[in-house]
Amino acid sequence: MSELKELIEKYIELEDNFDEDNEEQAEKLHDLGHEIDHAVYNEEFIIVYNADTEDEEVVALIISDEEDEAEEFFIPVYTSQEEAEKAIETFVEESGENNFAFDKAVGCDIVEAYSDDEEFLGLAVDAPQCDFVIFAESVHDCSE
């Protein structure tokens, strides 16, 4: 299991048992979230794309309501090939298409590639199995 995935699991567990009156727990949750933001910046992820399209379009998770004109989206990223393969199975079931492929990219490069798109919200780690989202503006490296 990747270090990032372990951090996310700790974060989810802490968040599930969160007591908003417990300042120590709130600080721990904040610090863990910050550590995750750093890990995402440098993590090499697997991204899934539709190989049927001319420009090999990356799969996006659209979250906007039907009434909204804008289609806000997250880019799903995967911490392992197994997670990517599970996601592709889900995408095939939902879309009926079966020509998905994957490639590797670093978190900061993915965020940078979509930073000019106003509808881009961030990354969804191991979606749909986990659905842990990280907003693009949070992904950073304090050493820069």
Side-chain angles (χ1 to χ4, degrees):
M1 178 182 306
S2 76
E3 180 183 345
L4 175 61
K5 191 161 182 169
E6 288 177 23
L7 291 172
I8 289 171
E9 287 179 0
K10 285 181 190 176
Y11 187 95
I12 291 170
E13 182 180 332
L14 188 59
E15 190 176 50
D16 286 347
N17 300 310
F18 184 69
D19 174 8
E20 57 188 63
D21 295 328
N22 185 331
E23 288 183 34
E24 182 180 327
Q25 196 178 34
E27 187 174 325
K28 203 179 223 181
L29 192 63
H30 177 269
D31 291 346
L32 191 54
H34 193 241
E35 195 174 341
I36 289 169
D37 295 339
H38 285 274
V40 167
Y41 185 89
N42 294 306
E43 181 84 7
E44 183 175 74
F45 290 106
I46 297 173
I47 55 173
V48 176
Y49 60 91
N50 185 340
D52 281 340
T53 60
E54 187 175 308
D55 57 358
E56 296 182 338
E57 183 177 294
V58 171
V59 171
L61 300 174
I62 298 171
I63 62 158
S64 301
D65 293 332
E66 288 181 20
E67 298 102 38
D68 292 341
E69 286 184 28
E71 289 191 331
E72 296 178 316
F73 66 96
F74 286 94
I75 298 294
V77 294
Y78 301 94
T79 56
S80 69
Q81 185 170 330
E82 294 78 29
E83 292 288 346
E85 289 169 352
K86 285 186 224 173
I88 288 173
E89 287 175 21
T90 302
F91 297 153
V92 168
E93 287 173 16
E94 291 177 358
S95 70
E97 299 176 23
N98 64 1
N99 198 7
F100 292 98
F102 49 85
D103 203 355
K104 293 182 178 180
V106 177
C108 62
D109 293 339
I110 300 167
V111 170
E112 177 66 28
Y114 291 92
S115 64
D116 290 339
D117 190 329
E118 291 180 15
E119 280 83 33
F120 173 61
L121 297 175
L123 306 175
V125 179
D126 292 334
Q129 295 88 333
C130 177
D131 284 341
F132 186 87
V133 298
I134 297 158
F135 287 91
E137 64 268 6
S138 298
V139 176
H140 68 284
D141 184 9
C142 289
S143 65
E144 291 187 345

